[in-house]
Amino acid sequence: MFLDAERNGMLSTIKRLEPPSLVEFSHYGELNKGVEDTTSDRVKDFAGAVERYELLPDSEGTLLKVLVQTTEEYEQMMNDGFTKSLQALKELAEQTDSPVNTKPDYN
């Protein structure tokens, strides 16, 4: 489950996990102000949406491959969220002292 400061987020189940390179999960509900919702029409519209994250070796380090399967209605919302979160992950990964930085330190 992913939460923001107001206790809002997606309720999800891990479908596939292959540490450290792959995680795939399916959404089945949402948390809104601390209240779980798995039955509303809104939730039923996106239930079953899948997100998959895979780390692949690359000549320059590691490639993060993301796959999202959702309905057209939620496509823009997911794209907006990914644009922000992947930019934040990129910035974190590029910090020399970050635990996710895979580039060698040549200094």
Side-chain angles (χ1 to χ4, degrees):
M1 176 177 4
F2 299 101
L3 302 175
D4 64 20
E6 296 178 359
R7 295 190 45 91
N8 297 324
M10 304 294 287
L11 298 172
S12 307
T13 300
I14 295 175
K15 292 177 60 174
R16 188 170 168 197
L17 179 61
E18 296 176 14
S21 60
L22 183 131
V23 64
E24 179 177 304
F25 51 95
S26 177
H27 301 298
Y28 66 89
E30 66 182 353
L31 191 65
N32 188 359
K33 297 182 182 175
V35 178
E36 289 189 13
D37 176 8
T38 59
T39 59
S40 70
D41 288 342
R42 173 182 157 74
V43 167
K44 289 177 182 176
D45 285 345
F46 71 77
V50 173
E51 290 184 50
R52 177 184 171 126
Y53 300 86
E54 189 170 7
L55 296 171
L56 302 167
D58 184 84
S59 62
E60 296 180 25
T62 302
L63 173 69
L64 171 61
K65 183 178 176 181
V66 179
L67 168 74
V68 179
Q69 295 174 329
T70 190
T71 62
E72 190 174 321
E73 179 181 353
Y74 292 96
E75 183 177 348
Q76 189 60 51
M77 177 188 76
M78 297 296 278
N79 284 338
D80 292 345
F82 274 108
T83 298
K84 294 174 188 173
S85 60
L86 291 175
Q87 181 60 37
L89 179 60
K90 179 181 184 291
E91 291 169 8
L92 176 64
E94 290 175 344
Q95 295 174 8
T96 304
D97 60 347
S98 169
V100 296
N101 186 328
T102 59
K103 293 183 180 179
D105 186 4
Y106 293 110
N107 296 331

